[in-house]
Amino acid sequence: MPATPDDTAPLPGEDERFDALVTEADTVSVAGWDFSWLDGRATEQRPSWGYARAMGERMGRARAALDIQTGGGEVLASVPKLPPLAVATESWPPNIARATALLHPLGAVVVADEDEPPLPFGDAAFDLVVSRHPVTTWWEEIARVLTPGGTYFSQQVGPASVFELVEYFLGPQPPEVRGARDPERARADAEAAGLAVVDLRAERLRTEFFDIGAVVYFLRKVIWMVPGFTVERYRPQLRALHHRLETRGPFTAHTTRFLIEARKPG
């Protein structure tokens, strides 16, 4: 009888494909913030506002700019024109090395920082601070290092992002977890730090994973999705998800993103 989505028996060659895909994804480097390894394996709809382009436009007008949690420096390196002073911070050693190699030739300085306050800079040091997908936003520190009239511009992960995948591995999450990273909470925190929010937009976007290797790579790279993820720890769930992908097609989830721009009164 032909296989159906409800069949539990593995398809011919399914176990071999599982082992090959998982081994490949579990050994490839996940340094930096470049997701090109997922080309053809996963897709993610992009927000309509075009963060990298919009950030580049602001960089072109800035005198001194700071990119917080730069990852491997890929987004900052894409800017057509850096300001006279461009600084990036990063905490993860492999990313520090990668960002240094990428950004130093462009004239940007990379500073190792633990992503905990205080930022290692003086008051009013930058007229532009940016950050793409920060783990935590320390609003009071951002306000401190901004010059009067300076701008913070950031694309951030919104609430319950890719939670279809998260909850596949971890089970249903409580409301306080699903509701974390609310854009309106970001607005309130920015205003509490003395900043004026001039733009706030949010979108829910479609993401698809086509094979189990894409899932493994994604969870190894975006480590806060399933904390403590390893292939061995979650092998039974991975094998079941592989069978689902083989028999039903892509696993669909939804990312949430929001754009926030805030200014320091001047």
Side-chain angles (χ1 to χ4, degrees), residues 39-156:
D39 291 350
R41 297 173 178 263
T43 60
E44 181 184 68
Q45 185 182 1
R46 298 298 184 184
S48 62
W49 48 74
Y51 173 77
R53 173 192 53 77
M55 187 263 278
E57 292 171 354
R58 287 158 177 78
M59 283 280 174
R61 301 191 296 265
R63 297 183 304 276
L66 170 64
D67 182 18
I68 297 175
Q69 298 176 28
T70 194
E74 295 88 354
V75 179
L76 186 58
S78 73
V79 170
K81 179 186 176 184
L82 288 173
L85 176 63
V87 182
T89 65
E90 177 56 34
S91 62
W92 194 40
N95 276 350
I96 294 170
R98 187 181 181 96
T100 298
L102 186 61
L103 295 174
H104 271 200
L106 303 178
V109 176
V110 178
V111 176
D113 177 62
E114 293 301 320
D115 295 335
E116 296 281 345
L119 285 166
F121 308 106
D123 297 354
F126 303 98
D127 55 290
L128 176 65
V129 177
V130 302
S131 189
R132 182 180 182 272
H133 300 176
V135 177
T136 303
T137 304
W138 303 105
W139 289 104
E140 291 186 358
E141 279 299 287
I142 289 165
R144 181 182 66 79
V145 302
L146 277 173
T147 60
T151 296
Y152 176 67
F153 186 71
S154 177
Q155 177 177 294
Q156 305 206 4

Side-chain angles (χ1 to χ4, degrees), residues 118-266:
L119 285 166
F121 308 106
D123 297 354
F126 303 98
D127 55 290
L128 176 65
V129 177
V130 302
S131 189
R132 182 180 182 272
H133 300 176
V135 177
T136 303
T137 304
W138 303 105
W139 289 104
E140 291 186 358
E141 279 299 287
I142 289 165
R144 181 182 66 79
V145 302
L146 277 173
T147 60
T151 296
Y152 176 67
F153 186 71
S154 177
Q155 177 177 294
Q156 305 206 4
V157 177
S161 188
V162 201
F163 260 45
E164 295 92 340
L165 187 65
V166 169
E167 294 187 332
Y168 174 85
F169 288 94
L170 300 181
Q173 298 296 289
E176 62 270 21
V177 174
R178 294 187 61 86
R181 309 187 71 89
D182 188 322
E184 289 301 327
R185 174 62 185 271
R187 183 201 297 274
D189 289 345
E191 292 175 346
L195 302 177
V197 176
V198 296
D199 194 5
L200 182 62
R201 291 179 257 170
E203 292 182 358
R204 187 171 185 262
L205 307 156
R206 185 181 180 91
T207 296
E208 290 186 321
F209 297 90
F210 300 128
D211 68 51
I212 199 64
V215 173
V216 170
Y217 180 87
F218 178 79
L219 294 179
R220 288 183 61 222
K221 197 174 187 77
V222 191
I223 57 176
W224 52 88
M225 287 292 176
V226 179
F229 172 83
T230 65
V231 167
E232 290 310 311
R233 181 176 181 180
Y234 288 98
R235 185 172 289 273
Q237 294 96 320
L238 288 168
R239 188 173 291 278
L241 182 54
H242 174 65
H243 178 74
R244 173 174 169 174
L245 289 163
E246 292 274 294
T247 57
R248 304 187 194 182
F251 182 95
T252 300
H254 295 86
T255 58
T256 57
R257 299 285 184 264
F258 67 90
L259 183 79
I260 185 165
E261 185 169 18
R263 293 201 181 117
K264 184 173 180 176

